[in-house]
Amino acid sequence: MTAARGWSTAVIGTVVLLAVFLLLAELSPWQITLGLGGLALLVAGWFVFGFSRADAADGAPALVAVTVLATGMIVTAYPTLAIVQALAYPIAWMFMPTFWSAVAANGAVALAVGVGLTLSLGTTPDALGQTALTVGISLAFSLAMGVWIAQLMRLGEERGRLLTELQDAQEEIAALNRDAGAGAERERLARELHDTIAQDLTGLVMLAQRARREEGRRDETLALIEESARTALGETRALVAAGAAVAGGASPDGGPSSELELPQALERLAARFQRETGVRVRVETLRDTPELDRDREVVILRCAQEAVANARKHAGAATISIALSSQDGCARLVVEDDGCGFDPAAASDGFGLPGMAERLALVGGALAVDSAPGRGTVLTASVPVTAARVKSEAPA
């Protein structure tokens, strides 16, 4: 009802002002009666036809018709009261349903003012000239202002529509980003679980099987089982608490040990794998070993873990070699085994190699697999050495 109160204030204020002018002027009784009747009709028309529709702005032709009639009466009673046009023209613009109906209503107001001035001033040439000038200027100004305001309203509506569409699009993009983020997080957790905890649990199963077969080495096997369990515990804690990968395995108490550098982490991985499986693992760290940031070190380490795990589970390898080097601005990890090999082009339902490829792609790296049935496998993972230094080390 804000618009209704505003219009009510304007109507009542204008009517009171015109009534004061009318009563202060030295007019005949019929002029005062006609003028007050027109003012009363204007107020009654507003509260009957306009007050309840002001907020909706849905148009009120009856209000405009009453306003036109009241305007003619007021101007006929006293020509000075032609300033009522300042209220009549805006009503014609604001409460007609369409642009052209509002233009027609403006013409009706101008006609009412013209008739009123003619009746009150007469038909002498001077009076007719004054009437034409007054009506013409008022109508032209009203039309010009109305067209300008209508254009602004049209632009405002268009901008409002575009803003609504933009907000809808932003909400849709936000929803897609949330879905994409959730999907990416699920994929990340799947990779982490597969490359860490799943591998540790696989090792635990194999160690338990070995303990059952080899009674003489039971203590050694139990120690390995404990170490593997602590490693899995540390990796689980890291995933739950920080949502980050564990770079260097686990500390003896089961917590993450991120202090190890990549070459040391590879040595530790090889030593642990060799104790668990009896498969000989050789690690070679060439000169100009790249010093990577944490994220890239984690990717390289996870690829090494997955490669040796695959060699244990699928290849039946007797020896495995792990080489870390730098070439053409990239850190290169090469894992080679002498196992049974496989056909890389054959479809696979496993998660290992695709998971490695996805993990490498996230840091701009790539995976290459060279293998064939009966001749072993060479897996090469490379990541760009971005904003990283190069350090010289002797071969390990």
Side-chain angles (χ1 to χ4, degrees), residues 219-307:
D219 290 341
E220 177 187 351
T221 304
L222 289 175
L224 290 173
I225 289 176
E226 181 181 359
E227 181 182 346
S228 297
R230 289 183 181 275
T231 300
L233 177 61
E235 290 167 342
T236 303
R237 285 175 175 172
L239 288 173
V240 172
V246 182
S251 62
D253 63 353
S257 177
S258 60
E259 294 82 0
L260 294 179
E261 295 184 355
L262 182 57
Q264 295 170 304
L266 293 175
E267 291 281 0
R268 182 170 178 171
L269 170 66
R272 176 185 162 193
F273 183 83
Q274 187 165 320
R275 289 198 311 272
E276 290 179 359
T277 63
V279 176
R280 182 172 178 270
V281 183
R282 182 172 58 90
V283 178
E284 182 180 13
T285 304
L286 303 181
R287 291 187 181 277
D288 297 331
T289 299
E291 185 175 337
L292 303 170
D293 58 42
R294 178 176 171 80
D295 290 340
R296 288 175 170 78
E297 283 190 342
V298 169
V299 169
I300 290 293
L301 180 58
R302 294 298 182 236
C303 288
Q305 289 174 326
E306 178 64 21

Side-chain angles (χ1 to χ4, degrees), residues 15-71:
V15 167
V16 170
L17 181 63
L18 295 181
V20 171
F21 287 162
L22 182 66
L23 294 175
L24 291 179
E26 297 180 356
L27 302 174
S28 62
W30 74 266
Q31 289 177 300
I32 295 176
T33 301
L34 182 62
L36 290 177
L39 293 175
L41 181 62
L42 183 60
V43 174
W46 164 251
F47 283 101
V48 172
F49 299 110
F51 182 79
S52 63
R53 305 183 183 185
D55 282 323
D58 58 352
L63 170 64
V64 174
V66 172
T67 301
V68 170
L69 178 59
T71 299

Side-chain angles (χ1 to χ4, degrees), residues 6-385:
W7 275 100
S8 296
T9 301
V11 170
I12 294 173
T14 301
V15 167
V16 170
L17 181 63
L18 295 181
V20 171
F21 287 162
L22 182 66
L23 294 175
L24 291 179
E26 297 180 356
L27 302 174
S28 62
W30 74 266
Q31 289 177 300
I32 295 176
T33 301
L34 182 62
L36 290 177
L39 293 175
L41 181 62
L42 183 60
V43 174
W46 164 251
F47 283 101
V48 172
F49 299 110
F51 182 79
S52 63
R53 305 183 183 185
D55 282 323
D58 58 352
L63 170 64
V64 174
V66 172
T67 301
V68 170
L69 178 59
T71 299
M73 294 172 60
I74 295 168
V75 175
T76 300
Y78 187 31
T80 303
L81 299 187
I83 57 176
V84 74
Q85 299 172 97
L87 179 64
Y89 280 123
I91 289 177
W93 276 114
M94 293 301 298
F95 293 95
M96 291 304 289
T98 64
F99 174 80
W100 291 110
S101 64
V103 171
N106 273 258
V109 172
L111 179 62
V113 173
V115 171
L117 289 176
T118 300
L119 293 175
S120 60
L121 296 178
T123 57
T124 64
D126 290 342
L128 291 176
Q130 182 180 352
T131 298
L133 181 63
T134 301
V135 172
I137 292 176
S138 300
L139 179 61
F141 181 77
S142 175
L143 291 176
M145 289 295 295
V147 170
W148 180 59
I149 293 174
Q151 181 69 7
L152 289 180
M153 292 178 65
R154 186 188 66 80
L155 291 176
E157 292 174 355
E158 178 67 15
R159 289 177 180 177
R161 182 185 64 81
L162 293 176
L163 178 61
T164 300
E165 292 180 357
L166 177 61
Q167 291 172 340
D168 292 342
Q170 289 175 334
E171 291 176 359
E172 183 177 356
I173 291 173
L176 292 174
N177 285 337
R178 287 193 297 271
D179 293 342
E185 181 63 12
R186 286 193 296 269
E187 292 179 0
R188 186 191 72 82
L189 287 175
R191 286 194 301 269
E192 293 296 337
L193 292 172
H194 177 272
D195 293 348
T196 57
I197 299 173
Q199 303 293 357
D200 291 332
L201 293 177
T202 301
L204 287 172
V205 171
M206 297 182 70
L207 288 172
Q209 292 173 344
R210 193 177 84 178
R212 188 180 297 113
R213 293 192 308 266
E214 303 175 356
E215 295 185 2
R217 299 177 59 186
R218 183 166 296 174
D219 290 341
E220 177 187 351
T221 304
L222 289 175
L224 290 173
I225 289 176
E226 181 181 359
E227 181 182 346
S228 297
R230 289 183 181 275
T231 300
L233 177 61
E235 290 167 342
T236 303
R237 285 175 175 172
L239 288 173
V240 172
V246 182
S251 62
D253 63 353
S257 177
S258 60
E259 294 82 0
L260 294 179
E261 295 184 355
L262 182 57
Q264 295 170 304
L266 293 175
E267 291 281 0
R268 182 170 178 171
L269 170 66
R272 176 185 162 193
F273 183 83
Q274 187 165 320
R275 289 198 311 272
E276 290 179 359
T277 63
V279 176
R280 182 172 178 270
V281 183
R282 182 172 58 90
V283 178
E284 182 180 13
T285 304
L286 303 181
R287 291 187 181 277
D288 297 331
T289 299
E291 185 175 337
L292 303 170
D293 58 42
R294 178 176 171 80
D295 290 340
R296 288 175 170 78
E297 283 190 342
V298 169
V299 169
I300 290 293
L301 180 58
R302 294 298 182 236
C303 288
Q305 289 174 326
E306 178 64 21
V308 297
N310 285 342
R312 172 176 59 186
K313 289 187 295 184
H314 306 299
T319 59
I320 301 173
S321 67
I322 301 174
L324 178 65
S325 63
S326 177
Q327 182 177 348
D328 298 330
C330 291
R332 287 168 50 88
L333 173 76
V334 179
V335 181
E336 183 175 0
D337 67 66
D338 60 357
C340 61
F342 69 102
D343 182 6
S348 172
D349 57 358
F351 188 78
L353 291 179
M356 272 195 284
E358 291 177 6
R359 187 188 288 274
L360 287 164
L362 291 175
V363 293
L367 177 69
V369 180
D370 181 15
S371 182
R375 69 172 179 85
T377 300
V378 178
L379 183 148
T380 304
S382 60
V383 297
V385 185

